[in-house]
Amino acid sequence: MKAWWGHLSLRARLAGGFGVMAASALIFLYALQARTLGLSRLAEGKLLPAMLAVLVALFIGGWIVSGWCLESVARLGARIAEKNPRPLPAELEGLALLRREAQKHDRLMAELRRFTADASHELRTPLTALRTVGEVALRQSSDPAALRDAIGAMLEEAQRMNSLIAQLLRLARLESDELPVRIRTVHLRPHLVAASDSVAVLAEEKSVRLTLDCAPNLEVAADVTLLLHAVVNLLDNAIRHTPADTEVAVTAREQGGTVSIEVKDQGPGIAAEHQPRIFERFYRVEAARPRPEGGAGLGLCIARTAIERLGGRISVASEPGRGATFRIELPGVPAAVT
């Protein structure tokens, strides 16, 4: 019985329940009439066929009403799921709030579990390297040159771990709602020059040329700190993946009230299946790439988070073997009303 009932649709079960309650009420009334008039009198009249007709009508009415109720609930659910839901009935506001909070809680818990697992994995690598190098150094304690090499390797791993922790803290701060965002109108070129200067040493080490094409009077509405976070990480990523004696080009343009900043490299490019995920934390296109070359996979995530806090968007266009172009789109400065 339970298996049969469970295979029915929700609408059929609601209609069935409604009909059973109505049938129970009719049977009760019929029993009262039978006690008063007697079964023989009731059987002579048309009361029994009338009650059966009413019972069928109630089952059909239950089917119609249950369908209307389910459709109304579905519409309300769709409205609750909207980013900016339209006004809801007062009695459902509390339920809508609970649903949104539950969804937010589930999303945050899933992100926390993923973040904890990824961070543990990334931190385990330099810690394991530190331990391994230290154990080898202890076995070669009589050789001063070997000890110096071991200490140098340990310092490199410590610096790598310190850089990873700094990136994690920066990303956590960017994702925090408590981080103040101070949007103001600024000239874009000086800040792009500053971003290029901050990665100039890395570009020189890899023999990569940095070029900048931006009009001196181009203005943008942005928080300078967040903008630099994004551009510097894009430049760092482009330089690391660009071969020696090639170029990384930065271009800024204004069109249709939107300012676009493009960072174009001449690296190996990004396959289409990787492009939707490259802005996720700890995601690396080439998982086997050595850590010093490939990084931890946080730079692009930091860039995306910073740009989203500015109300902009970031995207990538790339084909394998043809480099990659990362584009930042930010609101420009509205023209003054004359």
Side-chain angles (χ1 to χ4, degrees), residues 48-63:
L48 184 58
M51 292 184 67
L52 291 175
V54 170
L55 186 60
V56 172
L58 288 173
F59 270 101
I60 296 174
W63 177 266

Side-chain angles (χ1 to χ4, degrees), residues 1-215:
M1 180 66 180
K2 289 184 179 180
W4 171 81
W5 181 257
H7 285 304
L8 294 177
S9 66
L10 179 59
R11 183 177 184 181
R13 281 180 281 174
L14 288 173
F18 184 80
V20 167
M21 288 189 295
S24 301
L26 287 175
I27 291 172
F28 178 72
L29 292 175
Y30 189 79
L32 289 178
Q33 291 291 327
R35 185 173 182 181
T36 304
L37 302 176
L39 286 174
S40 59
R41 294 286 302 276
L42 288 177
E44 294 174 359
K46 298 182 179 179
L47 181 60
L48 184 58
M51 292 184 67
L52 291 175
V54 170
L55 186 60
V56 172
L58 288 173
F59 270 101
I60 296 174
W63 177 266
I64 296 172
V65 171
S66 60
W68 175 80
C69 291
L70 290 175
E71 290 178 0
S72 299
V73 170
R75 287 195 297 269
L76 289 172
R79 287 167 60 182
I80 293 173
E82 292 176 357
K83 187 174 182 180
N84 297 308
R86 291 168 287 168
L88 296 169
E91 60 272 15
L92 295 179
E93 282 291 349
L95 291 176
L97 178 60
L98 285 175
R99 185 175 187 270
R100 285 194 291 267
E101 290 300 320
Q103 290 176 335
K104 181 179 179 181
H105 175 268
D106 292 342
R107 185 175 64 254
L108 290 177
M109 290 302 297
E111 291 181 357
L112 178 60
R113 286 192 293 269
R114 184 166 62 94
F115 175 79
T116 303
D118 291 341
S120 300
H121 173 75
E122 294 296 331
L123 289 171
R124 188 184 299 118
T125 301
L127 286 173
T128 302
L130 281 172
R131 179 179 177 180
T132 303
V133 173
E135 290 175 349
V136 172
L138 284 176
R139 291 196 295 267
Q140 300 176 348
S141 58
S142 59
D143 186 354
L147 284 176
R148 282 195 299 271
D149 292 340
I151 293 173
M154 293 174 71
L155 288 175
E156 288 180 3
E157 292 297 335
Q159 177 60 35
R160 190 170 301 126
M161 186 163 56
N162 183 69
S163 175
L164 174 59
I165 293 173
Q167 284 185 309
L168 288 172
L169 291 175
R170 186 179 302 118
L171 181 58
R173 181 169 171 78
L174 287 173
E175 291 179 339
S176 172
D177 293 335
E178 298 177 358
L179 177 67
V181 179
R182 300 179 176 88
I183 304 292
R184 59 190 181 92
T185 300
V186 296
H187 284 91
L188 184 58
R189 183 179 176 84
H191 300 293
L192 294 182
V193 171
S196 299
D197 290 343
S198 66
V199 295
V201 174
L202 177 61
E204 185 177 351
E205 289 177 353
K206 290 204 64 177
S207 300
V208 172
R209 298 184 304 277
L210 294 175
T211 64
L212 174 61
D213 181 10
C214 177

Side-chain angles (χ1 to χ4, degrees), residues 297-315:
L298 287 173
L300 293 180
C301 183
I302 290 173
R304 182 195 64 181
T305 306
I307 293 303
E308 288 179 349
R309 291 299 304 271
L310 293 175
R313 62 185 298 268
I314 186 170
S315 59

